[in-house]
Amino acid sequence: MMTNLIDVPSEEDRVCEYDLSNLALYAALLDAVDAGHSWQECAGRIMGLKEHDLVSFDVFDRHLRRARWIIAEGLQEALVVFSDEI
């Protein structure tokens, strides 16, 4: 369960500190969604949010979109930034 969530992750076209600290969350969300888990399961079990709350859906959806951005358009930059952090 995640405890350092913000409601709205970055929507900028660059990798930020929040992305670095939530890489495991992004991976878990992508894996869970790919495995067919519902947004309620992801919000509750992975993110520690209320499972039947529209605000929780919005937080889940924004983080899932950010995770998808990281592995698509942001991948090249993410690899550079993440490797610099190791």
Side-chain angles (χ1 to χ4, degrees):
M1 178 172 27
M2 305 303 297
T3 57
N4 64 338
L5 290 177
I6 59 174
D7 290 345
V8 181
S10 176
E11 294 180 352
E12 295 183 43
D13 290 337
R14 64 178 188 80
V15 176
C16 65
E17 187 65 36
Y18 186 77
D19 297 324
L20 293 173
S21 65
N22 284 288
L23 185 59
L25 168 65
Y26 296 157
L29 289 176
L30 291 167
D31 285 346
V33 168
D34 286 348
H37 295 282
S38 69
W39 77 263
Q40 293 94 338
E41 291 176 289
C42 295
R45 293 183 183 167
I46 298 171
M47 302 176 81
L49 302 171
K50 295 179 182 175
E51 295 181 20
H52 300 288
D53 181 61
L54 290 178
V55 172
S56 295
F57 173 76
D58 188 53
V59 173
F60 157 77
D61 186 57
R62 288 173 184 268
H63 282 80
L64 180 60
R65 282 187 280 145
R66 187 63 179 179
R68 288 180 173 150
W69 177 85
I70 290 284
I71 64 167
E73 294 89 20
L75 185 57
Q76 184 174 359
E77 180 187 353
L79 291 172
V80 170
V81 172
F82 295 144
S83 68
D84 288 346
E85 293 295 317
I86 297 177

